[in-house]
Amino acid sequence: MSGPRESTSFAALRGQLQEAAAEFAGGPDALEGILLGMVDDVDRAVREPLEIFPVCHHSPASALAMARRLREKQPKVVYLELCEDMAPLLTELRNCRLPVAVQAFAGEVDGFPADWAPLSVVAPITEASAEYQAIAYALDTPGVELVLVDRSSDHVFQWDRRDDPAEEETGTPQEAEAALHGEAVGVGIGDLRPRFAQLEEHLLRHGKVRHWSEWWHQYVEVPLGDSDHDTYRQVMFLIGSLFRRLAPGEGARLRVDEDRERYMWTRMREHLAASGTDPEDCLYVCGAFHAASRVEEFGVHGASDTFTISPRTATTWQYGLIPSSHAAIEAQFGLAAGSVSIAATEWTKGLKRTRVKPYVLEGQAGKRKSAGKKAAVVPAPPSGAAADKLSGFLRRPPVLDGLDEAELLGWSVDIVRAARRNGYLASTADAIAVFETSILLAGMRDRAKPTPYDFQDAAVTCIEKDSVPGRRDVRRLVEIMMGGDRIGQVGYDSLPPLARDVYDRLAPLELRLEQRGVRRALLDMASRPELRACSDVLWMLRRLLPQGAARPIMGERRLGERSIQESWDLALGTHQRALIELGYEGVSLEQVLEQRLRRDAYGPRATTATVLAAVEDTLLYLGGRRLADELGTHALKVLAAERSVDGAPEVLRRVRALLAYYRTGEPVLPAWIESFVKTGYAHYCTLLPTAFRDEDATVGQVAAMLGFLFSMESLALSLGCDRTQLELAVAQSHPDDPAKTALLWAAQVQLGTLPRAELRARCDELLDNPLVVPSYPRYLSGFVHALEPVPGLADVVVEAVSNAFGRLPDTVLLPWLPLLITTLRSGAADLAPLMVREAGRIFPGRLAELDAWVPPWRMPETNPFAARPVADVRRGAALLTAHPATCDAVADLLGCDDGWTQPDAPAPSGTALLAAHPATCDAVAGLLGCDGGWAAVAGPASSGGAALTARHPETARALEHLLAAR
């Protein structure tokens, strides 16, 4: 350490601690070194020419002491422990409602591992914090300079050891309440907490408290709330030195802390040298842990050539303000739930008690403009060696606050009222019990006045009996009553351009979207066409923001469909942080959406399904053909490189939707989708035999492959594909799984290589074989999946299920039913409705008809091409005579002017028609290979027509049916 080891200021304290160490330890040992070293750290920090002001994170006592000291000293330069690259953002705090967080964000990294992206650093600021007092003083006081001296956001990650497995893990787990900060790295001033687990446990046990926040409130906040400046500084130096000297080991966290201290002192010396400012006119605001530093670079006269600041990486950082909340701060920095809210309440009470006038930024959102006189400046005491205030503070008995019965009674009544509103059966007796229990708990914990934590424990004990009737428990109700989870808001002027553009484009909705909570928006595009632009913005926000920020209630957007009326629930104020971070990615929603679609499509883990999804989103939200064609062309490359069928169902669904869209909305199909169908046909034909044998490929994936091949077959064949490739692929498939076997049979039926009669026979054989009956549900699952590629097999599937229920005995059927139901539900829930509709068409609709009903598959088969009776030929004559006008119109079109045949006249013979239309007969004769020529027709026995009629009676009857209209 630089400078003399001892000074006369703390000689008495050193002697007392040395005697205490000798008495407790029996002689000089490590205890004496620790105690005397703590005094040395305090002495060294007090004697530093540049005044060091130690603070604790979001401490009301620190904020009060800071406000008092700033009015006394009126420093010209304020050095603040905050990332130096965040300085330009601090002036925007006046447009925000606290608490908010200053954020540095990097979506793309250059110089860091790629899997670290995105990088985010936040520094939350509350009204009851010493750093806000320093910022407000420096920004609103003329001639005062605010200098941020902590490491930059880039160095935060440069010094991160997360890629080193040998380093210890640091930090606290992220809770659900930290959603406003996300996974950002928190940077706060005065992170003061023991790093020695046994020390913290010892303090909590002997302090009779449950967590660290309660200990700090009881033993530091309350005693220091009304102390003078010197006492406050020395006590905070002592606490910081204690926690620093008892920090375990020399781990990565301690090395980073020391590098931060070297960084800050280096920056301060550089600024002093460049500006020529006297250190006496400066104030250095930092955490108490860093104030008791022992690095060589400590102080204005410390070593200046032992530490080199490394250059920043090429990563581009963006900066902004995001809303924060008490719960987010507590979760991110490991504080007890409700502690920041209680600190805010204590800050308000401390201002009233001490009459300290705090510093507030001019124009601060949520604050009234001060109309009173400017607070008088209290001159600072003359500089010099500070007197020893520690000895008196440590010997002084605790000052016991008297019981404030009015305050405690108000708390008790308020908590009972809140409990009633949330479903608890609380009464006046519970209020009395909470009041008395709070006093009892405070007495058991050696406190004259119950703290908010005592009151919280008493309320939980007396009101929350065994269950929570609502969504909030009593502990949460106390937190809300003590100040609640205040959530900050960033003003319009401090938002990035994208967020301001969103609010401007949604202005026609005439809603206050910047406020928290849900707003209902009704869009009637039929009467107000200008709202279509708002609808486009809302659908893009739904795609980009978290769930709940923009939720459609009525209306949908699908390919080729646009709603004329929509209803939305909007919570943009609640999700302001997500909207602000969109502004880091671009200047407009369209630009950000295009970047994200490209990122999804060209990512290292992109599949064909994800690329097609990006194409669909492009058509839905952006329109145009440029990006859609580009991503569609990329989908071809991804499909050709895939060697699995995992995404086949999603590919089939999206390709069908895109084909339907282009066929209905475009004159011709885009070239990329034609190439995709052609490539996909060949690709899936190649993978089909392997997929049938692969145990990892599910029956649904194989069914989706067949669905692609069969449904796209006509288009693929028109583009030059060969159907033989599909036939060979099916012929080479030899599955072992029963479900895939049934699926293969369905594919063979579709190709025509397996007759339906043989398929039915195979199903009957399965039911006749007792060894196969237990696995019959899996065959049925394959048949149900086959409805995707071969929907015409619905009648066969219904027949297979019906035969099973009709033929199997109850001893076999009942144990078999659960397996059947679970198989169909898990494997083919979306295809079961097709089978149900087919069953509804086949089975009788009334119970009385069931006894006489015969299943269609049990009825004798008839030849559909068999000769019909003559009476059937004239069946349409009654219809023609009933509507003569229609027949006359058709006759006029055909040029027939012979008129109507008399009812008693014989039916016209086909020979007359053949003679009247010789060209038709010659064409048919040519197709049938008859080269006898056309003989003169003199009557019914004409050689040409009679020979053909006798040789091909079916053809003659067909011609009679087609041509005999009258």
Side-chain angles (χ1 to χ4, degrees), residues 792-804:
L793 279 181
D795 57 338
V796 177
V797 178
V798 172
E799 177 184 347
V801 176
S802 302
N803 286 337

Side-chain angles (χ1 to χ4, degrees), residues 203-526:
L203 293 176
L204 297 183
R205 184 175 66 254
H206 288 274
K208 299 179 182 179
V209 294
R210 291 174 293 117
H211 45 70
W212 173 251
S213 299
E214 187 176 358
W215 185 93
W216 181 267
H217 171 84
Q218 177 67 24
Y219 295 99
V220 180
E221 285 289 335
V222 175
L224 290 182
D226 298 325
S227 62
D228 60 275
H229 172 63
D230 291 335
T231 302
Y232 169 83
R233 288 182 68 206
Q234 293 176 22
V235 171
M236 293 295 285
F237 286 144
L238 183 68
I239 296 175
S241 176
L242 172 66
F243 293 164
R244 191 182 190 96
R245 288 183 176 273
L246 294 183
E250 297 290 329
R253 185 177 180 183
L254 184 58
R255 288 197 295 272
V256 169
D257 287 332
E258 291 180 347
D259 286 343
R260 289 178 63 186
E261 293 156 6
R262 296 184 178 98
Y263 194 106
M264 290 187 284
W265 281 109
T266 301
R267 289 302 191 202
M268 284 187 283
R269 282 195 297 270
E270 290 176 354
H271 181 269
L272 290 173
S275 62
T277 308
D278 187 354
E280 295 289 340
D281 296 331
C282 303
L283 187 68
Y284 171 35
V285 183
C286 67
F289 188 89
H290 299 293
S293 175
R294 292 175 291 166
V295 297
E296 296 179 0
E297 292 80 5
F298 179 87
V300 177
H301 304 293
S304 58
D305 55 353
T306 56
F307 180 74
T308 303
I309 298 177
S310 61
R312 300 183 188 181
T313 64
T315 300
T316 301
W317 289 89
Q318 296 174 299
Y319 303 91
L321 296 171
I322 62 173
S324 184
S325 68
H326 291 172
I329 296 172
E330 291 160 359
Q332 189 159 16
F333 295 98
L335 304 176
S339 60
V340 179
S341 298
I342 293 175
T345 304
E346 293 296 323
W347 160 254
T348 304
K349 293 171 58 178
L351 292 178
K352 294 180 180 178
R353 184 182 69 255
T354 61
R355 301 184 181 275
V356 173
K357 183 175 179 58
Y359 286 95
V360 179
L361 286 170
E362 289 291 334
Q364 180 75 59
K367 294 294 181 182
R368 294 181 180 178
K369 187 175 181 180
S370 177
K373 297 181 180 179
K374 187 175 180 180
V377 177
V378 180
S383 59
D388 177 14
K389 297 296 184 72
L390 277 178
S391 299
F393 182 85
L394 296 176
R395 286 185 172 185
R396 185 180 63 192
V399 178
L400 300 179
D401 265 346
L403 174 62
D404 190 344
E405 291 189 0
E407 181 186 53
L408 186 57
L409 280 174
W411 287 357
S412 302
V413 173
D414 290 342
I415 190 57
V416 169
R417 184 184 297 115
R420 286 175 179 172
R421 288 196 300 264
N422 286 269
Y424 288 90
L425 299 178
S427 63
T428 305
D430 293 312
I432 299 173
V434 171
F435 178 85
E436 298 294 342
T437 306
S438 300
I439 299 175
L440 177 63
L441 288 177
M444 295 173 60
R445 295 166 179 174
D446 297 331
R447 302 168 188 165
K449 177 182 178 181
T451 66
Y453 299 97
D454 298 326
F455 172 76
Q456 187 179 57
D457 293 340
V460 172
T461 303
C462 299
I463 298 178
E464 191 170 292
K465 306 298 190 299
D466 55 353
S467 63
V468 179
R471 64 188 182 93
R472 294 190 178 103
D473 58 7
V474 175
R475 189 174 302 278
R476 178 61 182 151
L477 294 178
V478 174
E479 294 173 8
I480 295 174
M481 191 188 71
M482 289 293 177
D485 183 18
R486 298 181 187 176
I487 301 177
Q489 181 183 6
V490 180
Y492 176 87
D493 295 332
S494 299
L495 292 173
L498 181 144
R500 294 200 298 266
D501 179 62
V502 168
Y503 284 126
D504 294 341
R505 294 167 69 176
L506 295 180
L509 298 179
E510 299 178 355
L511 298 174
R512 304 190 67 177
L513 299 177
E514 68 279 358
Q515 294 183 346
R516 293 185 60 82
V518 178
R519 300 288 185 271
R520 176 63 59 88
L522 303 176
L523 287 74
D524 185 3
M525 277 79 75

Side-chain angles (χ1 to χ4, degrees), residues 567-637:
S567 176
W568 291 80
D569 275 352
L570 304 178
L572 298 184
T574 305
H575 295 82
Q576 192 181 49
R577 169 185 172 270
L579 181 62
I580 290 173
E581 290 191 348
L582 283 182
Y584 299 154
E585 302 182 41
V587 296
S588 67
L589 285 176
E590 289 79 5
Q591 180 186 3
V592 174
L593 181 56
E594 180 174 345
Q595 290 177 356
R596 290 198 178 182
L597 292 176
R598 289 180 183 276
R599 187 189 311 155
D600 295 341
Y602 290 94
R605 299 182 180 180
T607 62
T608 306
T610 56
V611 180
L612 292 178
V615 175
E616 186 174 342
D617 289 343
T618 301
L619 298 174
L620 284 176
Y621 306 121
L622 297 179
R625 291 278 299 271
R626 174 188 58 82
L627 182 59
D629 291 349
E630 176 187 342
L631 297 180
T633 304
H634 179 63
L636 290 173
K637 303 177 182 178

